[in-house]
Amino acid sequence: MKRLAKLTGCVAAMAMFAALVLPTLAQADDQDVIDYRQHIMNTMDAQTAALGQILSTVIPDDNVVAHLEVIAIASQQSLSSFEKKVLGGESLPEVWENWEDFSAKMNDFSEKITTAAQVAKEKGKDAAMGTILNALTCKQCHDVYRKK
Ligand code: HEC
């Protein structure tokens, strides 16, 4: 009986070990990190596309400031989503090899888009147009840090 109890205890311990440890051994965690940073990028993408519709005058301009502010907030979320070094997705290894430059690019983008939102708020969409286009430095970063 004593032996059986020992064995049962052992099996229980193994089951617990499996439940606690195995999910972290699987790729799920890394995939979560990649999914998360892509979700934030896709937020910026959708908001930029909506803004583009407004700037090309297809859609009324009521939401210009709000779109810019959402992009600004997403850009602030974005940097920390890359902090954990998880290779994969469309990220090139250079993101982490040149972290100082990558984060400087992200912060610069963030500052510019925040300023564009302020200018649009204070002076209107037309006055902010140049600032907005100048702020959308998506491609400058993608050219260096995103797989083609
Ligand atoms: C400082 C660098 C940087 C800036 C600025 C930046 N991106 Fe990205 N973006 C990346 C990297 C790196 C990836 C690859 C992420 C991954 O898949 O691991 C990416 C991926 C994407 C993706 C693909 C997401 C997916 O589901 O695969 C989209 C869409 C995107 N970015 C849109 C934008 C838009 C729109 C802007 C500007 C408003 C922007 N990005 C600004 C670095 C940047």
Side-chain angles (χ1 to χ4, degrees), residues 37-38 41-42 45 48 88 90-91 109 138 141-142 146:
R37 68 193 185 212
Q38 290 182 342
M41 282 292 165
N42 285 318
D45 201 46
T48 305
E90 293 179 7
S91 293
F109 164 62
C138 322
C141 185
H142 290 168
R146 183 182 171 192

Side-chain angles (χ1 to χ4, degrees), residues 49-121:
L51 195 60
Q53 287 190 296
I54 295 172
L55 298 183
S56 66
T57 68
V58 190
I59 301 285
D61 66 4
D62 322 34
N63 286 332
V64 168
V65 174
H67 286 304
L68 289 167
E69 285 173 348
V70 174
I71 301 171
I73 292 170
S75 71
Q76 289 157 22
Q77 299 167 338
S78 187
L79 187 58
S80 67
S81 77
F82 283 95
E83 264 166 17
K84 189 161 183 224
K85 180 181 174 178
V86 177
L87 295 168
E90 293 179 7
S91 293
L92 291 170
E94 282 81 355
V95 167
W96 298 277
E97 282 161 18
N98 304 328
W99 179 255
E100 236 172 82
D101 178 68
F102 178 80
S103 52
K105 276 194 166 56
M106 189 64 86
N107 287 329
D108 181 61
F109 164 62
S110 202
E111 270 169 39
K112 281 193 170 131
I113 203 78
T114 304
T115 304
Q118 274 163 3
V119 174
K121 201 172 193 171

Side-chain angles (χ1 to χ4, degrees), residues 20-40:
L20 289 172
V21 175
L22 286 183
T24 58
L25 292 179
Q27 284 299 299
D29 260 3
D30 281 0
Q31 192 54 52
D32 286 339
V33 172
I34 293 170
D35 287 348
Y36 182 65
R37 68 193 185 212
Q38 290 182 342
H39 285 319
I40 296 170

